[in-house]
Amino acid sequence: MPDNLTRVDGARVLADLNTLRGIGAFKTGVHKPTFSEAHMQSLAWLAAQLPDAGLAAEIDGIGNVLGTSTKSGAKLLAGSHLESQNYAGWLDGPLGVVYALEAARVINPDPNVNGSVEVASWCDEEGHFGHFLGSRSYVGGVTEQDIDAARDRSSGRTMREALREAGLADRSRAKAERGRHIGYLEAHIEQGETLENGGLAIGVVTSIVGIWQYRITFTGEQNHAGTTRMSVRRDAGLALARFCVDVDDRFPSLCGPRTVWTTGRITLDPGAPSIIPGAAEMLFQMRDDDPGVIERLERELQSMATEISAQGRCSVAIQRLRIGTPAKMNAAFQEAIEAASKTFAGGRSIRMPSGAGHDAQILSTVMPSGMLFVPSIGGISHHWSENTADADIITGAQVFVDACRRLLAR
Ligand code: GLV
Ligand code: MN
Ligand code: MN
């Protein structure tokens, strides 16, 4: 058995994750929206742990926590995020942050390792105010105007106000320093069933999907629900419902093997049963790691909109809100994770794409990046019941720390 096995403290990893679960607890999960009190307390908790890992802690002007090292040698950046979706799971994000913290605690004081792990918690990966705001800010992809325009999707609170209340308004935003890091490594729960169904311990991520998002607006005519005969109605709500069904009928013959699409919030205006809705809106998302597939599906959406408008009852407008950039994970990072899995997980690993978005796809635009997954029980995530077996959490931590060592030794 390799002697550095004992250096990862599995009990410490579980204790840290449970401490974070206790901040903003909801059932067995957490409710930790970006810049909520529970989120800010979690950031402060992380910042307080970093000095023990030999890192200077900073919370920057967009809510990223960064732990930086003055140790000589190579530097590997590692992390994930600490906010959650509303009323969601305890591991989506914190797992990767705590693994990074553990890697720093194990590796940074070790005189046999010529290098260090720097820790990051990226703000708002879950997209309460935008998408990947923290990691995009770090790679230089967020302007002051973007921040001016950002609002909490649940409360409408502006991001400026949230930053002020969090005490971050006057801080500068940390930026990636060219050449500082050999790369970025992130761990995450799989949020699917591939590992569990295969009796596997580790997913070696090969690529991360791009996410495209749209606002689709239907305009008809608002009128009285009792006196307007069915044959003359211009019901925007009905047009929207038909559109959703039509998407499900048409997309399967056009999509790729792993394309997914989801309708989010639907609003009917005015949304009263005695009034025919004159307007309706749906948020719509598609994911794939092939932009060519998305282009094809976008053209289909557009022709469906044109067909409905041509029928004369309602018009349809499609607005793109977000363009996804699929990312390939670095080959050497995949090899390091696979080699670590051979040593610490009996080789029970598989190479697989990620259907979820992760900060690693943003970091990969400026440095080599890699990701590993641990199993999710029942494949459940973005729900408070999300969970992973303790033994799998500990195995994942050992593989993660060993992968960090291997990358730093290259
Ligand atoms: C990230 O949480 C995603 O929705 O993929
Ligand atoms: Mn996540
Ligand atoms: Mn998530």
Side-chain angles (χ1 to χ4, degrees):
M1 191 171 288
D3 63 8
N4 59 358
L5 177 62
T6 53
R7 308 272 313 271
V8 171
D9 186 338
R12 178 167 67 180
V13 168
L14 291 174
D16 284 350
L17 286 169
N18 278 295
T19 298
L20 286 167
R21 166 147 73 170
I23 306 173
F26 174 75
K27 300 193 181 184
T28 59
V30 292
H31 177 57
K32 231 179 266 204
T34 305
F35 301 129
S36 61
E37 205 179 315
H39 180 224
M40 294 311 297
Q41 269 180 37
S42 302
L43 302 190
W45 175 87
L46 174 63
Q49 310 311 306
L50 293 173
D52 285 344
L55 299 170
E58 175 202 358
I59 304 181
D60 84 347
I62 201 161
N64 288 332
V65 182
L66 287 148
T68 49
S69 165
T70 52
K71 189 177 174 188
S72 63
K75 289 181 175 50
L76 177 69
L77 188 59
S80 193
H81 59 96
L82 287 177
E83 81 286 338
S84 72
Q85 289 288 349
N86 292 336
Y87 308 104
W90 67 301
L91 295 169
D92 177 355
L95 181 102
V97 173
V98 169
Y99 279 14
L101 173 63
E102 182 65 10
R105 285 188 297 221
V106 170
I107 288 172
N108 296 355
D110 187 341
N112 298 316
V113 181
N114 180 26
S116 55
V117 173
E118 297 198 320
V119 174
S121 166
W122 308 112
C123 196
D124 204 36
E125 188 274 349
E126 295 293 5
H128 291 271
F129 286 84
H131 58 278
F132 301 118
L133 277 173
S135 52
R136 283 199 300 122
S137 166
Y138 186 71
V139 305
V142 174
T143 63
E144 290 302 306
Q145 291 72 25
D146 292 335
I147 297 181
D148 290 341
R151 281 176 180 273
D152 185 329
R153 63 174 143 91
S154 305
S155 69
R157 180 166 71 140
T158 65
M159 185 153 178
R160 290 287 178 208
E161 201 179 325
L163 286 168
R164 226 176 0 259
E165 282 169 19
L168 301 175
D170 299 325
R171 300 193 190 182
S172 59
R173 291 191 272 138
K175 292 277 154 58
E177 263 175 58
R178 215 185 168 81
R180 179 179 180 88
H181 299 107
I182 58 165
Y184 174 72
L185 187 63
E186 179 167 352
H188 208 276
I189 50 167
E190 183 204 334
Q191 311 180 282
E193 289 180 300
T194 305
L195 297 178
E196 186 177 76
N197 289 347
L200 299 164
I202 299 292
V204 182
V205 178
T206 51
S207 65
I208 304 178
V209 283
I211 304 177
W212 283 260
Q213 208 147 290
Y214 308 84
R215 176 181 291 118
I216 307 180
T217 313
F218 299 76
T219 309
E221 186 178 62
Q222 184 175 326
N223 208 338
H224 197 289
T227 58
T228 315
R229 280 167 298 117
M230 299 309 283
S231 59
V232 298
R233 290 181 179 211
R234 298 174 57 203
D235 184 332
L238 188 59
L240 180 150
R242 287 208 172 111
F243 189 90
C244 286
V245 174
D246 221 15
V247 164
D248 248 31
D249 285 343
R250 295 196 196 192
F251 273 23
S253 62
L254 298 167
C255 69
R258 296 184 70 104
T259 321
V260 288
W261 55 90
T262 307
T263 299
R265 192 183 55 229
I266 289 177
T267 20
L268 302 184
D269 182 15
S274 290
I275 306 173
I276 299 160
E281 179 188 291
M282 60 190 260
L283 295 178
F284 185 69
Q285 187 187 83
M286 309 193 275
R287 300 186 184 208
D288 203 283
D289 60 9
D290 179 355
V293 169
I294 299 294
E295 271 169 37
R296 199 156 67 227
L297 296 178
E298 258 192 13
R299 277 199 300 277
E300 188 65 10
L301 282 180
Q302 209 54 62
S303 57
M304 286 165 61
T306 308
E307 282 166 32
I308 295 174
S309 302
Q311 288 160 11
R313 294 216 173 188
C314 293
S315 60
V316 187
I318 299 176
Q319 180 193 3
R320 227 202 235 142
L321 298 178
R322 169 176 174 182
I323 300 173
T325 321
K328 299 278 177 235
M329 296 292 97
N330 179 270
F333 277 58
Q334 294 181 45
E335 280 156 25
I337 298 164
E338 211 154 54
S341 304
K342 284 206 176 86
T343 309
F344 289 104
R348 290 180 302 123
S349 70
I350 187 173
R351 292 195 179 208
M352 61 184 291
S354 172
H358 297 289
D359 291 303
Q361 72 198 87
I362 306 299
L363 273 298
S364 75
T365 61
V366 298
M367 62 181 87
S369 296
M371 276 200 88
L372 72 80
F373 284 159
V374 300
S376 290
I377 294 174
I380 300 290
S381 186
H382 283 184
H383 186 265
W384 56 264
S385 64
E386 160 191 293
N387 206 2
T388 295
D390 285 358
D392 285 336
I393 292 177
I394 294 171
T395 301
Q398 287 165 342
V399 170
F400 186 83
V401 175
D402 191 52
C404 289
R405 263 183 206 283
R406 286 170 191 271
L407 288 165
L408 285 169
R410 278 180 342 122

